[in-house]
Each structure stands twice: as structure tokens, then as C-alpha cells.
Amino acid sequence: MAASPSTARAINDRLALRLLQDEGPLTAAQLKTLTGLSRPTVADLVERLQGSGLVHVVGEAGAERRGPNAKLYGIVADRAHLAALDVRTRSVSVVVADLLGTTLAEATLPIGDGADPGPAADRAVALLERTAREAGAARLHSVAVGAPGLIDPATRQLRDTAKLPEWHRRLVSALRQRLPAAVLVENEVNLAAVAELREGAAGPDRDTFALLWLGQGIGAAVVLDGRLRRGASGGAGEIGFLPVPGTSGLPSAHGCDGGFDELACAAAVDALARAHGLDPAGALESGDGPFLDALAERLAIGAASVVAVLDPGCVILAGETGHRGGPGLAARVESRLAELSPLRTEVRATALGDTAVLRGALLTARDAAQDALFP
């Protein structure tokens, strides 16, 4: 069935806005070329988008050209302000940005072990409010929070877990109570995968991959055909619980001791470095062959289990270990993985490092704002 005139207008407007978002300011002639729409249709949509406050003239194309055909149109960046939070066990980091995703202000707040949940959550919210004021954002439109733990797929709430601080869950509730904004919550590893897909190591050639998060804790994210997959209970990628050889036993429903986490978490990597006579602080950057080979052996064991089930074709090593180990560690894991699995798999190091979670959260907040604002 042919689209109604109003539906066709909405489709055309959204297409133009996406092009302005991705390509930057464009002339009407460039919009005509990129969209394939007629000149009158482009003129109408530009007038509509200007009237809605989403698009404005930002300059002219060419040093000598003048007139209406030379006008450059761009998205009104301050039409909405966004925020992203990266919530860790002992800290929270905040970025405030405009509708184009340009960072306007950022800050980090340490939160000690055993902090009182209520005051800790209030301090985190106050940090966001203060950072928003510094950015000149009188009102936030969309806020995305990346946090460790399971996100209930029905309620989009952080689920109870004994290993995470209570202030994490208090923070989400406090944000929703105090901010006149849409507050979105996502597992931090999933957000890192979103960022690597759209801006990082996945690049333009990989829309199916598994991301292994190697840090204080262990996790994974699964992206298939460009879509993040969360699982029936939000737990896709809980690879810390993988039963693997070389551990003290088997994991249980109450803890991942005995699982892959025991081989690959930050504490295990530090212990492995000390066993090789290295200072953990610089072991991953040392280039020490025996240590890196031993670590790659461990990581390949977990990666092989993921590859055997998903056959993603690509595994990205992220988190602190993946970032610090870089391409050298990734190459070692790829070589060992090729010996463990008949499924050809490329292993890449994160391209975004410590910024991956915040970038993924900011992209998520921007998408939510655009979905609400764009026709």
C-alpha cells in the first residue's frame, strides 16, 4: 500500500534529519541528491523542519556563492540536552551533551566502599545536576545510565544482586524522581558494544560480533546483524559463570567463583602477572611474551565457548584488560583461538577504551531524544 501524504512527509523528514545528523550541515541541493527527493519536496521539508525548531541555517556553501541555494542547513544542537552516566562499583562518571552528541561538560565522582546508599545516590544525582548547569543545560531531555548487573527486560530496572552496591539501584530511582527527563538504564557491557558497533572496533565491516568485557568483573555483549541481543532475562553474556577448565571448581547460581571469572577478572590477571615476576601495574604493556601467552591461553578458553555457540566471526576484547593489552594481546588470543575452534574468528582490541560505556550511553540517550523529537 502507498504511504499516506502525512506518512510520506514524516518518512522524508526523518530521512533528512538523519542525513543532517550523520553528514553535518547540508544544502538543499545536497539533500536532494542524497535523498533522491524532488526539489519541491526538499524545499517543503526544509521549511517544515525550520518551523518545528529542529533545523536552522548555519552558513553558506562556498566562499563566493550567495543566495537561497547556497544556504547550509543543520540540526539545532541545543534543541535538547542529553546526559550519560557510567556507574561503576566505586565511582560514577557523567557527560552532558547536545542533540548532536557534542560533549559540553563532564565530571567524575569517587564513591567509597560501604557508602550509605541514600547519600551516595544523592551525591551522584547532584553531580549530574551540577554538570548540566555547567553545560548550560537548563533541562535534560534524555539520560542513559550504564551500570553493571542484570537489567530486567520487562521493567528496565536493575535487578537485585548481592555483589553490587545498593546505591546503584537507589541512583536510578532518584534520577527518575528528581529529573524531568526520560531515564534509560542498560547494562554497561551492552552499552560498550553499542559504541564499538557504531564508532569503534566493529567498524563498517562487522555487524555481528561478541564483545568480551575484561575488567574487575567479566561479561560479554552479543550483537547479531547489527542488533544488541539481551536474552530472555537480560542475562545474555554472563560469561563469568562459564564452567571452564583450570579453575578451582564449578560456578553456582549464587556466584561465579569457579567459572571463567576466576581465570580472567582483573584480580586473576594481576596474580598471573606476579607469578611471572611482573608488576601488575605495567604487565599488560610490558610486551612480556610468556605472560601475554599465558593470559591469551586463558582468554581463548572463554572466547572459544562463545564462538562455539554464536559463531560471531569477530570477538572484541574490551574493558581494562582488553584496552591495556591492545592489538598485541588480541593477536595472541586470535592465534590460540584458531587452535581451539574450527570457526574462523577475528579478535580485535577495543578502539574506545575507557570511554566505551559513556559513548554507548550517550548514543542511547541521543537515539531516545531523536525518536521523541524527530517527526
Side-chain angles (χ1 to χ4, degrees), residues 8 17 49 66 68 73 99 115 143 187 195 211 230 234 240 288 371:
L17 286 164
L49 294 176
R66 294 293 184 267
Y73 299 96
L99 189 56
V143 177
N187 174 268
L211 180 140
R230 298 179 177 87
D288 183 86
D371 284 344

Side-chain angles (χ1 to χ4, degrees), residues 80-97:
H81 289 98
L82 323 168
L85 284 79
D86 180 3
V87 181
R88 303 294 176 98
T89 304
R90 300 182 182 88
S91 68
V92 58
S93 297
V94 173
V95 167
V96 176

Side-chain angles (χ1 to χ4, degrees), residues 95-111:
V95 167
V96 176
D98 60 25
L99 189 56
L100 290 173
T102 302
T103 296
L104 303 176
E106 53 191 325
T108 297
L109 174 71
I111 297 180

Side-chain angles (χ1 to χ4, degrees), residues 29-40:
Q30 289 170 326
L31 282 170
K32 175 182 178 298
T33 300
L34 292 170
T35 62
L37 299 172
S38 68
R39 188 182 302 275

Side-chain angles (χ1 to χ4, degrees), residues 6 37-38 74 90 92 106 125 130 177 180 211 309-310 319 321 324 332 364:
S6 60
L37 299 172
S38 68
R90 300 182 182 88
V92 58
E106 53 191 325
V125 176
R130 184 167 62 250
Q177 290 171 3
L211 180 140
V309 174
L310 296 177
T321 299
R324 290 173 56 202
R332 282 177 161 85
T364 299

Side-chain angles (χ1 to χ4, degrees), residues 25-27 56-62 65-74:
L26 298 169
T27 65
H56 62 164
V57 177
V58 297
E60 291 189 344
R65 296 186 61 189
R66 294 293 184 267
N69 291 335
K71 289 181 179 178
L72 278 170
Y73 299 96

Side-chain angles (χ1 to χ4, degrees), residues 132 245 248 254 260:
S248 61
H254 307 291
F260 182 50

Side-chain angles (χ1 to χ4, degrees), residues 341-362:
S341 172
L343 306 177
R344 185 174 179 180
T345 306
E346 182 183 8
V347 180
R348 299 178 179 180
T350 171
L352 299 174
D354 294 338
T355 68
V357 175
L358 276 174
R359 287 304 306 165
L362 194 56

